[in-house]
Amino acid sequence: MQKNESGLKVQLSEKGIRLTRQRRLLLDLIEEASDHLHASDLVKFALERGEKIDRATVYRTLGLLKDQGLIEELDLLHLDGPEHHYEAITRKSHIHIGCTKCGKIMEFETDLVANIEDEISCETGFLIRSTRVEVSALCPDCQGKEREKA
Amino acid sequence: MQKNESGLKVQLSEKGIRLTRQRRLLLDLIEEASDHLHASDLVKFALERGEKIDRATVYRTLGLLKDQGLIEELDLLHLDGPEHHYEAITRKSHIHIGCTKCGKIMEFETDLVANIEDEISCETGFLIRSTRVEVSALCPDCQGKEREKA
DNA sequence: GTTCCTGCAAAGAGTTTGCAGTTCT
DNA sequence: AGAACTGCAAACTCTTTGCAGGAAC
């Protein structure tokens, strides 16, 4: 373990999991990303910064990070295709709203998700790990275009 | 359009979409199902009642029904594999809680989802079509087993 | 030094597509 | 009759796996 490692890397290391060049690379890419990445994005972005990584390693690492609770797997309603998207789990959880017409994804923060989680815990006894909320909608721009047609 | 067609079939027909033998069959299976079906379930269940339907038709029909807003596509956190699951859209919406250990899926009804939708509509102007909430958790049984190990 | 990880290549699974023939309205 | 739908088969994409060599601790 090297000095001054960034957040997710420390977390992984503290769980007794080896930090390899490839894992550092992927964690960097995921932490720096503003978007929701999928596996082939990661291969591509790695190449762009001159580092090579195999698809298989990407998938294996994403699985590992998901199991360890460091990243979250999203489908984003498959508006963009069948791949899975991943994002770092941050303090403030947020939900995703996708426009079914233009495919745009918007993030939205709300405390109400925590309320749902509380209600579930109390009433069912389930111990919640994470909650994924994905909303399928029509964005304001696309609503305008729909009205023009009519 | 035949007489006494069931709910989803009427809805489809009213949209001007042809009712074929295969579509009736799939709608019947989806309406009667208590579980969340995926494509190959539908092929299998059709065969069990002596009707043949091609995979391609199943996928095309599921796409159609999803686009028309008659069924909802779920991933159920992929606890059960990479397939998509489908269920009829019913009046009372519900969310899915999956146990990451045993894979059990529980349905849960709450009014709080409607609150989230209201908040989103007001603050973003998005017109919501549907909201998918999938919770990853540990069920009470599996929590017990975890404690035994420790 | 031991254990775990990676790359490569091949396989696997779910899903989509082109086309000719059939069915619906 | 005309438009839309289906079955078949092949193709496609995303993802997983076995194995030999290499890296982390």
Side-chain angles (χ1 to χ4, degrees):
Chain A
M1 170 84 176
Q2 295 165 13
K3 287 177 185 171
N4 302 319
E5 298 276 23
S6 69
L8 292 178
K9 280 178 269 188
V10 173
Q11 288 187 54
L12 203 59
S13 181
E14 280 172 353
K15 287 169 182 279
I17 293 172
R18 286 190 190 167
L19 275 176
T20 62
R21 177 182 69 78
Q22 292 86 340
R23 288 179 182 168
R24 277 183 233 272
L25 171 58
L26 291 177
L27 288 171
D28 282 339
L29 290 172
I30 292 171
E31 284 184 300
E32 292 166 17
S34 54
D35 255 353
H36 311 100
L37 306 173
H38 52 262
S40 56
D41 282 336
L42 288 164
V43 174
K44 196 180 68 185
F45 292 159
L47 277 176
E48 286 176 5
R49 57 167 80 174
E51 303 223 45
K52 239 185 116 221
I53 187 167
D54 194 79
R55 278 175 305 179
T57 304
V58 172
Y59 283 111
R60 279 188 282 233
T61 304
L62 289 173
L64 171 75
L65 299 175
K66 186 176 61 162
D67 289 345
Q68 295 299 326
L70 300 188
I71 61 174
E72 183 141 24
E73 184 182 73
L74 306 168
D75 299 291
L76 301 179
L77 303 159
H78 296 299
L79 297 176
D80 229 31
E83 324 87 12
H84 292 135
H85 298 251
Y86 297 88
E87 65 180 19
I89 287 185
T90 51
R91 298 163 306 285
K92 188 84 176 179
S93 75
H94 57 270
I95 69 184
H96 296 97
I97 309 170
C99 176
T100 49
K101 187 136 181 271
C102 67
K104 191 168 41 193
I105 300 285
M106 182 189 185
E107 300 195 347
F108 186 80
E109 284 186 11
T110 169
D111 294 329
L112 296 177
V113 176
N115 294 1
I116 292 187
E117 293 182 340
D118 290 344
E119 188 174 307
I120 292 171
S121 300
C122 291
E123 294 194 20
T124 68
F126 274 62
L127 182 66
I128 298 177
R129 285 176 39 141
S130 70
T131 299
R132 186 165 83 171
V133 181
E134 297 178 319
V135 180
S136 151
L138 213 52
C139 73
D141 287 353
C142 290
Q143 287 174 50
K145 286 172 196 153
E146 289 285 308
R147 267 193 297 273
E148 282 170 27
K149 281 198 306 186
Chain B
M1 169 86 174
Q2 296 165 11
K3 287 178 185 171
N4 303 320
E5 298 277 23
S6 70
L8 291 179
K9 281 178 270 188
V10 173
Q11 288 185 54
L12 202 59
S13 182
E14 281 172 352
K15 288 168 182 279
I17 292 171
R18 287 189 186 167
L19 275 175
T20 62
R21 176 183 71 77
Q22 291 87 340
R23 288 180 184 168
R24 278 184 234 272
L25 171 58
L26 292 177
L27 289 171
D28 282 340
L29 290 172
I30 292 171
E31 284 184 300
E32 292 165 19
S34 53
D35 253 352
H36 311 100
L37 306 172
H38 53 261
S40 55
D41 283 335
L42 289 164
V43 174
K44 197 180 66 185
F45 293 159
L47 276 176
E48 285 175 7
R49 58 167 79 175
E51 303 222 48
K52 237 185 118 220
I53 187 167
D54 194 77
R55 278 175 306 177
T57 304
V58 171
Y59 283 112
R60 278 189 282 234
T61 304
L62 289 173
L64 171 76
L65 298 175
K66 186 175 61 163
D67 289 344
Q68 295 299 326
L70 300 188
I71 62 174
E72 184 141 25
E73 184 181 74
L74 306 168
D75 299 290
L76 301 179
L77 302 160
H78 297 298
L79 297 176
D80 230 29
E83 325 86 12
H84 291 135
H85 298 251
Y86 296 88
E87 65 180 17
I89 287 185
T90 51
R91 296 166 305 286
K92 187 83 176 179
S93 75
H94 57 271
I95 69 184
H96 296 97
I97 309 170
C99 176
T100 50
K101 187 135 182 271
C102 67
K104 190 168 44 193
I105 300 285
M106 180 190 188
E107 299 195 349
F108 186 78
E109 285 186 12
T110 170
D111 295 329
L112 296 178
V113 175
N115 294 0
I116 291 186
E117 293 182 341
D118 290 344
E119 189 174 306
I120 292 170
S121 300
C122 291
E123 295 194 19
T124 68
F126 274 62
L127 182 66
I128 298 177
R129 284 176 40 143
S130 70
T131 299
R132 186 165 83 170
V133 181
E134 297 179 318
V135 181
S136 151
L138 212 54
C139 73
D141 287 354
C142 290
Q143 288 173 51
K145 286 170 195 153
E146 289 286 307
R147 267 193 297 273
E148 282 169 27
K149 282 198 307 186

